């Protein structure tokens, strides 16, 4: 049951992270789940460093947005809003 919950939360957090950034992003569903899970991990680490406790959904969302920005910036070679450089 834990794995199913991780997949559901990962899909929600990853989907919200993708909705936050403007523009089209050709990413399959399993990459969106991975983005959400990775964002939850990064957000949890940031929350532990900043406030000393688990950050919850808000920090998971911030982590997903950060990961998506870094992916677009370095892997795809484009900025926040637009076409490749």
């Amino acid at each position: 049951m834990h794995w199913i919950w991780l997949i559901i939360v990962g899909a929600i957090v990853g989907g919200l992270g993708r909705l936050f950034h403007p523009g089209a992003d050709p990413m399959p569903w399993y990459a969106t789940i991975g983005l959400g899970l990775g964002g939850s991990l990064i957000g949890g680490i940031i929350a532990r460093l900043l406030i000393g406790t688990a950050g919850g959904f808000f920090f998971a969302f911030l982590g997903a947005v950060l990961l998506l920005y870094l992916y677009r910036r370095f892997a795809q070679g484009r900025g926040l809003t637009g076409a490749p450089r």
Side-chain angles (χ1 to χ4, degrees):
M1 198 64 179
H2 182 70
W3 290 100
I4 295 171
W5 181 248
L6 283 176
I7 290 171
I8 292 170
V9 170
I12 292 170
V13 170
L16 288 175
R18 287 183 61 193
L19 285 175
F20 184 74
H21 283 286
D25 195 9
M27 185 182 290
W29 62 270
Y30 52 85
T32 302
I33 292 172
L35 173 70
L37 293 175
S40 297
L41 179 67
I42 298 298
I45 291 170
I46 291 172
R48 287 280 180 185
L49 292 174
L50 292 178
I51 60 177
T53 184
F57 188 80
F58 179 71
F59 277 94
F61 169 71
L62 289 179
V65 169
L66 176 67
L67 280 180
L68 185 58
Y69 170 75
L70 293 174
Y71 172 73
R72 283 185 174 187
R73 184 76 163 156
F74 295 110
Q76 292 180 343
R78 63 182 181 156
L80 182 62
T81 59
R85 295 182 259 160

